[in-house]
Amino acid sequence: MQTAIMIVANYPLYIRSVPTQGELKFHYTVHTSLDVVEEKISGVGKALADQRELYLGLLYPTEDYKVYGYMTNSKVKFVIVVDSSNTSLRDNEIRSMFRKLHNSFTDVMCNPFYNPGDPIQSKAFDSIVSTMMVQAF
Amino acid sequence: MSPAQWDLPPELCCRPVAFVALTGLDVVYNAIHRAIWDAFCANRRADRVPISFKVLPGDNEYPKCRTKRTSYEWYIPKGILKTGWMNKHLNLVPALVVLFYELDWDDPQWKEKQSECATKVEIVRTSLQGRNTKVAVVLIQKKTPLPPGEDLVASERASALCGACDLSGKSLFVLPHTDHLVGYIIRSDFLFLNKHQFKMGFFSELKQDTQNALKYYRTAYSLVHELRAHETNMLEIKTMAGFINYKICRLCFQHNTPLDAIAQFRKHIDLCKKKIGSAELAFEHTAWMSKQFQSFGDLFDEAIKLGLTAIQTQNPGFYYQQAAYYAQERKQQVGQLCSHEPGVGYPAPDPLETTSGALDFYGQRPWRQGHQSIDPPDSEKEKQGILALQVKERDIPHSELIIALLSNAVAQFKKYKCPRMKSHLMVQMGEEYYHAKDYTKALKLLDYVMCDYRTERWWSLLTSILCTALKCSYLMGQVKDYITYSMELVGRASILPEEQKSRIEKNLIKVLMNEVPEPEPDCDPLSVKTAQSLWSDRISLAGSNEFTIEVQDYVPFVQCKAKFLSPSFHIDEPVQLHVYVRADCPHPVRFSKLCVSLSNQEYNQYCLLEDASKGKDILEPSTQENMCLVPGKTRKYCFKFVAKTEDVGKKIEITSVGLMLGRETARYVYLNWRGGWGDAASSHETLQACRSFKKRTRFPEQQVDWDTVTIQSSTMIISRVPKISVQLTHEPPALTNEMYCMIVTIQSGEDTVAKDIKLTAGLKPGQDANLTQSTQITLNGTEVCDDSHPALLPDIPLGDLHPGQKIVKPLYIHCVSTGSRILLFHVAYSVSATVEGKDITCKCHKDETVTLETVVPYEVAMKFVSSKFEHLERVYVDIPFLLMMDILSASPWPIELVNSEVQLASSMNAIDQPQSQVEGVTLQTSECASECFLLKCPPVQNGTSTVASGHYIISWKRKSTFAETSVVRTIVTLPHVMVENIPLYVHAELPSFGRVRESLPVRYHLENRTGLVQDVEITVEPSDAFMFSGLKQVRMRILPGAEQEMLYNFYPLMAGYQVLPQLNINLLRFPNISNQLLRRFLPSRIFVKPQGRNGDTSIEAA
């Protein structure tokens, strides 16, 4: 089953996809999903921006994938792409996956040697993502 | 089969309307008939029931009606829906036939006409052969009919006619009423069994009963899927499902329930997605899928045009996009399934040929129409048929289909604010054009979207696009594009593996050497052959072999940073400029020229590095060489030049840096960095680098860490540092109004003569405008400045100054107001100097500024006091008083009071000659000098008035050892004072002291100053310190102008300062003149000496 997790700050910070050969397609999918993220953010009123829900929900359905989005307060976007035949994942599971990712991402950001905006190269983050992918898919 | 096989039949897509045939009309030759026909067809507005009309001859052949079955028992269906069915009911079999006949009610030949009409009706009936088509008769009458019921003949004849024609009365019309003909109904007794639900739906739609139609269609849809599907009828089922689905979605949109339409479509796709059918004809399935999505997209788009609003995540674009995906998949499958051996041709008896030239039923195979069993009847025929289909499929222009769908999708996504989706689809279009060998269009599209991916820093996507673009440019022999894309693919923005980069770099070097590059991998071999000849043509062609690439639009494999070493350079030192260059390619690369363009182009010649050994082979780079870039290492090139003297005060900017790759003799490309640094990725990298906490690794000598190189793309040329000293000697603060002396000492430290020295001194411009008014400067200190002197003395010529010499120049500043001011002393001169072996005349200047405080030198306090030194609020006419001056020094420096003078106004008189008492006095800080003048006021009118007193003039100067100072005259205006007449003046005459137990005679004088006789009451109060003799209480009259004298003998009893017995005077005529006021003129105390033991002399001596 095809899946991808991507951390994006308008350009990719972290990419993990299974299987790896169709990666380019995932990249395009995630890239195009940013359109929807942008539209969703701009739709939210400025007053509500503070208590904004970080989880953006299903961004858009394609024939083959479901694309879910999440955006941290520092405008870093998390995108999870799952095969649309995967019915075991409900909204709640996706939500908790994002939360886990966010926690781990926060740890990465707290690392004084990590320079925000650089690609993420963290073993801890890698292993979190790996377990998540094994568990969920 | 044509490519239109997958298109939905037009009769399905149109909105079904009922078909009405008109007969008996001669529209060509009969004007009346023409008018009737026009009335039917023209001006059909939307509110009228949609009907399609056709004029047919009376004996028209209608499609034959087969005998109807009463049940489907024993009925073996040959298929689901015949191909001609819909067309038949739309265009061939009318729902109503209208027979027009010219007949008036009072026609003389009524009988004959009636039977003729009946015959015509019969002919129509016969030709319809029992179809459930209604027949109506319209009598075209010339006369206006009478109201119904009044024309007995008419009603009688009408019923007769109806009887003859076997018509119901409702089906007979008379022409003026023809407009109301539209209210007909078609018979709805087509009650077949459930297999005919589609037809039911279709008929309902014909009747404009869309709700019912939808219901029928939905049932039909579920029934279609209940059919047993196997390989032989899969196509038929899918075709039907597609038709019905189309109808349902269309009606849903028509009912403005788009969500229902979408849900139905999703259901449809989910149900049919897996129904691939024959594996050998898998492309049929994908083609069908593609068509499903496309037609849904069309329906969606059409609904939007009619007012439906779509959103970003649900718009027709997605359906077109999906249609394109299936089209692409179809193309791939074709590649796998239809790549027959060259020998295999189209099968000889065409299996797709049918006797009628068309199919009887939708979705059936031409070679086994009507066949309904699971296994194909003839396996050989089946094989031939599949082969025929495959061969036909091969000729379909797949790319065209895909591109058309993609461009549809692009148009949609553009509308719904999806720029990235749009870009993605354009990439796909570009790739499809590439596959279709339309490289020009491919390159145009790819080039258009590339910069979006570049600015968004999606390197993976950019690399993939660049690879395709590189192939296109290779195949077209586009040298500049080829070089540009190669440069980017070799560089740091590309995620290609090293060996790919290496291959591309080698090709790039070949092109720069004017050789044909190796072909790109996975290119169409035929195109490669064309490309190779194109390239060799290019190479033999002289000219057009130089290119400039503006780097800021790309991320090439060479990076550059140019910087001035300092933000400013003095004119007498060389301007230094460093250019750092770094390559990210896998192999070392040599360049042949590096040039820096500056805003003043005259300096460009000094910032140029050219390969001296022209014509050498650039394929053999040697790492020692200066002009070879080793991957990953930063190279530094230093330039310096002497700025021109006229550029002093100007900015020099790096407009661009150019790096030439290749040779002028062969082919070369200029990389041009505008502003001297930065490509499309640099700004982000710089930002990240400066944010980074990473510890900078120490690089060995001669090597630089790229990230630490900062940019300094402009520098100022500033004048030479002056080697003179300007010193100011003065004694601050300045005192108001004095001529404050400042001595400027200019000493030369130059090695040569400082020529043409000019001093500008005074108030620094740009301060408070009031200061300009209150400050004056002069070279002459002997006289006090006035307003005609300027606040700034410009360009005082001081001549030349030899090394070591100095000039001393005193300047005088006159500050009228207090406060601080900034003074400027600007010394300018010129001197000749030698820089880098060049003689230049440098203009130098040195500025000194000083903040000068100005303070008041002293405060003058003035007051009027009585002769008893008591403070006076008013003075009295002809009674002497004192004017007291206190001069309190506020200056930190000693002040010498040269003179002082009182200039009295006419209303004041001095009692004796006023003479300065402070002349020659020197006041230290906060010391005070006082003097007083005895004055008297002459009488005034009206009893009281305020009069001016005059002026007080102080001449003073600063007492300084430092410089000769001039005397300053300061004029102080004396305050006004109130002068009052007094009716009675009292004064006492008494000795200066008394002695205990010795008589002390006191004489009081009372003077009447009025023109009236005054009654005065006087009492003397007793005192402990005195005994006295005289009148204790008296009342008397004093004549005008007269004076009364009163003598008392006081006898002191106690020694020391004693209060005299108090004299109370009461003026009966002037009750407002109080006793206290008068008493102020009299002494209140006296000093009493003790009585001497040994006589007076000893005490007096003591």
Side-chain angles (χ1 to χ4, degrees):
Chain A
M1 216 172 269
Q2 293 183 313
T3 310
I5 289 182
M6 220 183 249
I7 313 289
V8 168
N10 284 334
Y11 57 92
L13 294 180
Y14 184 89
I15 301 168
R16 178 76 80 82
S17 63
V18 178
T20 40
Q21 67 262 31
E23 213 179 60
L24 198 66
K25 198 177 173 189
F26 281 126
H27 287 209
Y28 274 118
T29 309
V30 173
H31 183 244
T32 48
S33 74
L34 293 182
D35 283 338
V36 186
V37 173
E38 248 166 41
E39 188 69 18
K40 283 204 175 192
I41 301 162
S42 68
V44 176
K46 269 179 188 152
L48 289 169
D50 300 334
Q51 61 248 36
R52 186 180 62 80
E53 165 82 275
L54 301 179
Y55 179 56
L56 300 173
L58 183 68
L59 293 181
Y60 70 90
T62 67
E63 211 40 38
D64 310 320
Y65 311 114
K66 284 181 192 146
V67 186
Y68 296 92
Y70 184 94
M71 191 174 82
T72 70
N73 286 320
S74 53
K75 304 252 188 297
V76 173
K77 291 113 188 156
F78 298 177
V79 179
I80 294 181
V81 183
V82 291
D83 202 298
S84 47
S85 58
N86 188 336
T87 46
S88 65
L89 284 171
R90 301 280 175 101
D91 213 45
N92 264 343
E93 277 94 55
I94 297 281
R95 214 181 263 265
S96 73
M97 280 169 70
F98 274 129
R99 218 163 290 140
K100 254 191 238 169
L101 267 182
H102 195 175
N103 284 342
S104 188
F105 177 74
T106 314
D107 291 344
V108 172
M109 294 296 283
C110 290
N111 178 357
F113 298 104
Y114 173 72
N115 186 18
D118 280 350
I120 296 171
Q121 288 162 324
S122 153
K123 279 180 191 162
F125 193 76
D126 270 345
S127 71
I128 294 271
V129 172
S130 300
T131 33
M132 203 181 278
M133 286 181 115
V134 169
Q135 277 170 3
F137 314 115
Chain B
M1 285 192 197
S2 64
Q5 180 205 355
W6 305 109
D7 289 342
L8 297 173
E11 55 267 30
L12 181 75
C13 301
C14 69
R15 192 173 168 199
V17 289
F19 170 45
V20 171
L22 308 177
T23 170
L25 284 179
D26 182 3
V27 293
V28 186
Y29 298 109
N30 193 320
I32 297 169
H33 292 185
R34 179 81 211 173
I36 294 166
W37 167 245
D38 286 347
F40 273 111
C41 302
N43 305 321
R44 287 208 71 86
R45 289 192 310 273
D47 56 331
R48 284 176 71 178
V49 179
I51 296 167
S52 81
F53 290 101
K54 238 181 215 178
V55 174
L56 296 171
D59 52 352
N60 182 46
E61 278 276 326
Y62 299 103
K64 289 203 173 59
C65 187
R66 273 172 293 137
T67 41
K68 290 279 174 293
R69 289 163 197 281
T70 47
S71 84
Y72 277 103
E73 244 177 281
W74 305 111
Y75 172 63
I76 303 160
K78 287 180 177 161
I80 302 169
L81 184 65
K82 288 193 103 182
T83 48
W85 191 85
M86 280 187 287
N87 187 37
K88 193 169 79 184
H89 285 277
L90 280 173
N91 298 319
L92 300 176
V93 180
L96 172 77
V97 176
V98 184
L99 177 70
F100 289 85
Y101 193 72
E102 283 184 44
L103 182 62
D104 281 307
W105 297 129
D106 51 354
D107 196 281
Q109 292 163 308
W110 169 258
K111 274 272 181 245
E112 290 78 11
K113 293 250 172 140
Q114 179 182 320
S115 64
E116 191 191 334
C117 179
T119 323
K120 284 200 171 179
V121 170
E122 195 48 42
I123 291 167
V124 170
R125 285 245 171 84
T126 326
S127 60
L128 284 169
Q129 280 192 349
R131 281 202 182 270
N132 284 302
T133 304
K134 276 197 149 193
V135 179
V137 174
V138 177
L139 299 179
I140 303 168
Q141 296 190 335
K142 292 179 183 95
K143 287 176 185 163
T144 322
L146 293 166
E150 285 183 25
D151 194 343
L152 289 173
V153 184
S155 50
E156 183 196 306
R157 286 194 167 176
S159 59
L161 185 64
C162 285
C165 302
D166 193 13
L167 285 169
S168 79
K170 285 176 186 168
S171 303
L172 182 67
F173 300 92
V174 176
L175 185 74
H177 300 279
T178 43
D179 280 349
H180 304 288
L181 195 67
V182 292
Y184 71 93
I185 316 154
I186 62 162
R187 297 277 297 273
S188 59
D189 50 352
F190 289 93
L191 284 170
F192 296 126
L193 291 173
N194 56 5
K195 204 157 163 270
H196 285 169
Q197 291 289 351
F198 176 75
K199 293 186 179 181
M200 290 301 300
F202 196 78
F203 282 126
S204 297
E205 230 182 316
L206 283 173
K207 288 189 293 176
Q208 305 303 318
D209 180 3
T210 52
Q211 293 294 349
N212 258 330
L214 187 60
K215 211 161 74 194
Y216 286 129
Y217 282 136
R218 281 197 193 280
T219 326
Y221 188 80
S222 56
L223 286 168
V224 161
H225 281 289
E226 274 168 31
L227 283 175
R228 217 173 98 200
H230 42 83
E231 226 170 78
T232 46
N233 72 349
M234 188 70 89
L235 183 64
E236 188 180 2
I237 288 173
K238 277 196 300 195
T239 310
M240 272 323 289
F243 284 3
I244 301 168
N245 174 64
Y246 179 82
K247 277 289 180 196
I248 296 173
C249 293
R250 191 191 163 91
L251 285 173
C252 285
F253 278 125
Q254 208 173 309
H255 293 158
N256 205 14
T257 50
L259 292 178
D260 287 356
I262 292 165
Q264 161 63 27
F265 183 72
R266 291 240 61 85
K267 194 175 101 189
H268 172 58
I269 292 302
D270 290 343
L271 280 168
C272 299
K273 208 193 227 169
K274 296 281 149 52
K275 294 187 174 167
I276 295 162
S278 164
E280 288 153 299
L281 296 171
F283 53 83
E284 278 188 347
H285 176 68
T286 43
W288 179 80
M289 286 295 277
S290 171
K291 194 66 210 175
Q292 296 305 305
F293 276 101
Q294 188 193 351
S295 37
F296 188 76
D298 286 343
L299 276 179
F300 201 165
D301 192 33
E302 201 177 298
I304 288 164
K305 276 179 195 143
L306 292 172
L308 185 74
T309 40
I311 52 165
Q312 188 195 37
T313 50
Q314 192 57 260
N315 71 59
F318 285 102
Y319 299 95
Y320 289 127
Q321 185 194 17
Q322 202 57 36
Y325 280 152
Y326 277 110
Q328 281 165 342
E329 207 176 318
R330 175 188 183 185
K331 191 180 142 196
Q332 270 178 11
Q333 285 165 341
V334 169
Q336 289 159 9
L337 296 171
C338 309
S339 48
H340 302 287
E341 295 292 311
V344 180
Y346 195 74
D350 188 351
L352 306 184
E353 197 76 15
T354 54
T355 42
S356 62
L359 285 171
D360 283 350
F361 288 92
Y362 283 117
Q364 290 195 345
R365 298 292 180 204
W367 60 87
R368 48 172 167 80
Q369 289 195 68
H371 179 79
Q372 289 291 312
S373 70
I374 295 171
D375 296 315
D378 183 345
S379 64
E380 189 51 40
K381 225 177 181 179
E382 189 75 16
K383 242 185 225 166
Q384 288 292 308
I386 288 171
L387 179 64
L389 286 175
Q390 287 174 340
V391 171
K392 281 221 158 184
E393 179 74 11
R394 217 164 43 185
D395 302 334
I396 286 171
H398 290 288
S399 291
E400 263 175 43
L401 294 176
I402 296 167
I403 288 162
L405 288 170
L406 284 172
S407 70
N408 269 355
V410 165
Q412 293 292 338
F413 282 117
K414 201 170 167 181
K415 217 163 31 176
Y416 295 101
K417 283 193 230 162
C418 301
R420 295 181 182 87
M421 183 63 99
K422 194 187 118 200
S423 303
H424 178 203
L425 292 167
M426 285 171 79
V427 170
Q428 288 181 317
M429 277 172 81
E431 281 168 354
E432 207 49 56
Y433 273 123
Y434 165 73
H435 292 306
K437 301 196 179 75
D438 190 343
Y439 303 122
T440 322
K441 276 189 184 155
L443 206 55
K444 205 172 159 194
L445 278 166
L446 294 176
D447 200 64
Y448 183 80
V449 293
M450 223 182 266
C451 69
D452 291 340
Y453 289 98
R454 197 181 287 116
T455 46
E456 295 217 300
R457 304 177 49 76
W458 280 75
W459 301 140
S460 52
L461 305 181
L462 178 66
T463 308
S464 130
I465 298 164
L466 278 170
C467 284
T468 317
L470 183 67
K471 282 177 195 168
C472 292
S473 56
Y474 169 76
L475 294 172
M476 285 195 296
Q478 295 274 27
V479 184
K480 187 181 177 183
D481 289 337
Y482 186 85
I483 292 173
T484 315
Y485 300 139
S486 301
M487 285 198 165
E488 208 158 9
L489 277 171
V490 168
R492 63 195 194 285
S494 144
I495 58 157
L496 284 182
E498 274 303 285
E499 71 268 17
Q500 285 291 320
K501 284 191 176 183
S502 156
R503 182 184 62 78
I504 293 169
E505 193 187 346
K506 277 177 186 156
N507 273 338
L508 176 64
I509 289 171
K510 271 194 176 182
V511 173
L512 289 177
M513 289 185 65
N514 217 6
E515 285 173 28
V516 179
E518 295 298 319
E520 288 299 306
D522 310 321
C523 278
D524 178 51
L526 239 128
S527 304
V528 168
K529 216 165 247 172
T530 337
Q532 273 163 338
S533 71
L534 264 173
W535 276 97
S536 34
D537 286 354
R538 287 257 168 199
I539 274 148
S540 55
L541 218 72
S544 79
N545 46 10
E546 58 160 288
F547 305 107
T548 305
I549 294 174
E550 291 295 333
V551 163
Q552 69 274 2
D553 304 331
Y554 304 97
V555 190
F557 70 97
V558 188
Q559 293 185 75
C560 168
K561 282 182 182 178
K563 63 178 273 195
F564 286 108
L565 285 201
S566 160
S568 62
F569 287 95
H570 292 289
I571 184 74
D572 59 337
E573 59 184 354
V575 177
Q576 292 192 64
L577 178 74
H578 285 184
V579 178
Y580 298 85
V581 183
R582 191 169 98 138
D584 318 300
C585 50
H587 303 294
V589 68
R590 263 184 56 159
F591 64 92
S592 45
K593 199 170 173 185
L594 176 70
C595 54
V596 183
S597 301
L598 297 162
S599 51
N600 186 342
Q601 297 186 350
E602 285 176 62
Y603 302 130
N604 289 0
Q605 50 181 315
Y606 306 111
C607 305
L608 182 68
L609 179 69
E610 250 178 316
D611 198 352
S613 55
K614 285 189 182 182
K616 235 183 164 183
D617 195 357
I618 57 162
L619 255 188
E620 293 166 19
S622 76
T623 42
Q624 274 82 43
E625 255 191 281
N626 192 25
M627 304 184 75
C628 177
L629 300 174
V630 180
K633 281 194 181 160
T634 304
R635 220 168 234 299
K636 183 172 89 179
Y637 301 97
C638 307
F639 300 104
K640 60 180 172 182
F641 58 87
V642 180
K644 295 203 178 325
T645 44
E646 58 265 31
D647 274 352
V648 173
K650 284 184 192 161
K651 208 179 195 180
I652 299 182
E653 274 176 295
I654 301 172
T655 49
S656 70
V657 172
L659 183 87
M660 192 172 96
L661 294 167
R663 301 256 143 202
E664 267 164 34
T665 49
R667 183 184 295 284
Y668 62 93
V669 60
Y670 251 115
L671 292 180
N672 193 41
W673 283 271
R674 213 187 288 159
W677 76 286
D679 48 40
S682 301
S683 56
H684 182 263
E685 283 164 357
T686 317
L687 184 71
Q688 284 299 106
C690 72
R691 267 198 209 154
S692 177
F693 299 109
K694 260 182 232 161
K695 209 181 157 198
R696 307 264 174 241
T697 36
R698 288 222 168 268
F699 277 81
E701 199 126 323
Q702 289 298 309
Q703 284 205 29
V704 206
D705 179 12
W706 182 259
D707 287 338
T708 58
V709 178
T710 51
I711 303 297
Q712 174 72 52
S713 58
S714 69
T715 191
M716 278 292 281
I717 302 301
I718 51 176
S719 56
R720 175 178 172 277
V721 181
K723 287 185 189 162
I724 57 162
S725 70
V726 176
Q727 268 190 335
L728 295 171
T729 324
H730 60 129
E731 292 179 313
L735 304 176
T736 321
N737 278 323
E738 74 164 327
M739 294 302 286
Y740 184 68
C741 179
M742 292 184 98
I743 295 168
V744 185
T745 311
I746 303 163
Q747 177 144 31
S748 167
E750 297 283 356
D751 304 327
T752 52
V753 183
K755 278 180 230 150
D756 209 9
I757 297 182
K758 273 175 184 157
L759 171 69
T760 298
L763 192 69
K764 191 179 180 187
Q767 297 181 80
D768 187 356
N770 292 332
L771 287 178
T772 322
Q773 306 297 318
S774 61
T775 313
Q776 289 109 29
I777 184 160
T778 178
L779 294 171
N780 178 12
T782 54
E783 54 187 60
V784 177
C785 288
D786 53 24
D787 287 346
S788 64
H789 287 83
L792 182 77
L793 274 179
D795 295 329
I796 307 159
L798 297 178
D800 295 351
L801 198 57
H802 288 277
Q805 260 189 346
K806 69 175 175 185
I807 301 176
V808 178
K809 189 84 189 165
L811 291 162
Y812 297 91
I813 293 138
H814 182 226
C815 302
V816 180
S817 64
T818 58
S820 68
R821 359 170 113 57
I822 302 167
L823 301 176
L824 169 76
F825 297 88
H826 171 97
V827 179
Y829 64 100
S830 58
V831 73
S832 49
T834 310
V835 197
E836 304 269 306
K838 265 178 95 174
D839 282 331
I840 52 169
T841 305
C842 304
K843 286 208 165 81
C844 298
H845 64 87
K846 175 128 184 169
D847 285 1
E848 276 299 322
T849 54
V850 64
T851 305
L852 183 67
E853 287 292 333
T854 306
V855 296
V856 188
Y858 49 79
E859 305 276 357
V860 181
M862 285 157 291
K863 59 188 176 192
F864 295 99
V865 290
S866 69
S867 47
K868 283 161 73 186
F869 289 98
E870 280 173 333
H871 178 70
L872 282 181
E873 257 159 34
R874 53 187 69 187
V875 297
Y876 297 98
V877 171
D878 277 344
I879 298 171
F881 61 90
L882 289 169
L883 173 62
M884 281 211 51
M885 314 282 187
D886 292 325
I887 303 169
L888 176 71
S889 166
S891 151
W893 304 97
I895 298 172
E896 189 186 332
L897 299 173
V898 178
N899 199 2
S900 73
E901 189 188 340
V902 176
Q903 282 182 343
L904 287 174
S906 57
S907 52
M908 294 269 175
N909 292 330
I911 286 178
D912 37 42
Q913 192 60 40
Q915 212 176 19
S916 176
Q917 292 140 10
V918 293
E919 187 180 326
V921 170
T922 299
L923 287 178
Q924 301 293 333
T925 311
S926 74
E927 277 181 346
C928 185
S930 298
E931 62 178 331
C932 61
F933 301 96
L934 189 62
L935 306 174
K936 194 166 89 172
C937 278
V940 290
Q941 258 131 41
N942 305 330
T944 57
S945 73
T946 309
V947 296
S949 316
H951 298 282
Y952 183 49
I953 300 159
I954 307 165
S955 301
W956 59 278
K957 64 176 185 182
R958 174 197 284 253
K959 205 162 190 187
S960 168
T961 49
F962 155 74
E964 195 54 44
T965 53
S966 53
V967 176
V968 186
R969 256 163 69 94
T970 308
I971 299 169
V972 184
T973 307
L974 293 169
H976 283 57
V977 72
M978 185 103 89
V979 182
E980 205 173 76
N981 281 318
I982 196 151
L984 187 80
Y985 177 51
V986 191
H987 61 103
E989 218 178 278
L990 75 169
S992 54
F993 63 91
R995 200 181 288 272
V996 175
R997 288 192 202 129
E998 260 179 42
S999 171
L1000 177 73
V1002 175
R1003 205 182 294 271
Y1004 290 106
H1005 299 269
L1006 287 89
E1007 220 177 297
N1008 183 359
R1009 293 250 172 121
T1010 60
L1012 302 168
V1013 177
Q1014 289 205 47
D1015 285 325
V1016 183
E1017 200 177 72
I1018 299 169
T1019 54
V1020 180
E1021 282 180 19
S1023 164
D1024 289 347
F1026 295 94
M1027 291 197 293
F1028 68 89
S1029 69
L1031 296 169
K1032 193 180 177 196
Q1033 184 169 16
V1034 70
R1035 194 173 167 163
M1036 56 184 159
R1037 279 193 170 166
I1038 306 172
L1039 294 175
E1043 188 185 310
Q1044 183 74 44
E1045 194 182 281
M1046 296 186 67
L1047 179 71
Y1048 288 89
N1049 255 322
F1050 290 143
Y1051 189 71
L1053 299 174
M1054 288 178 242
Y1057 248 119
Q1058 298 299 342
V1059 176
L1060 285 167
Q1062 200 173 309
L1063 187 76
N1064 291 328
I1065 305 162
N1066 198 5
L1067 297 183
L1068 299 173
R1069 272 182 184 271
F1070 298 92
N1072 54 333
I1073 302 290
S1074 73
N1075 187 27
Q1076 277 84 5
L1077 178 88
L1078 292 172
R1079 225 189 281 150
R1080 281 170 62 175
F1081 303 118
L1082 299 175
S1084 57
R1085 288 185 296 187
I1086 194 162
F1087 188 72
V1088 178
K1089 291 180 178 178
Q1091 201 172 27
R1093 206 176 289 160
N1094 304 323
D1096 277 347
T1097 46
S1098 61
I1099 291 165
E1100 267 174 307

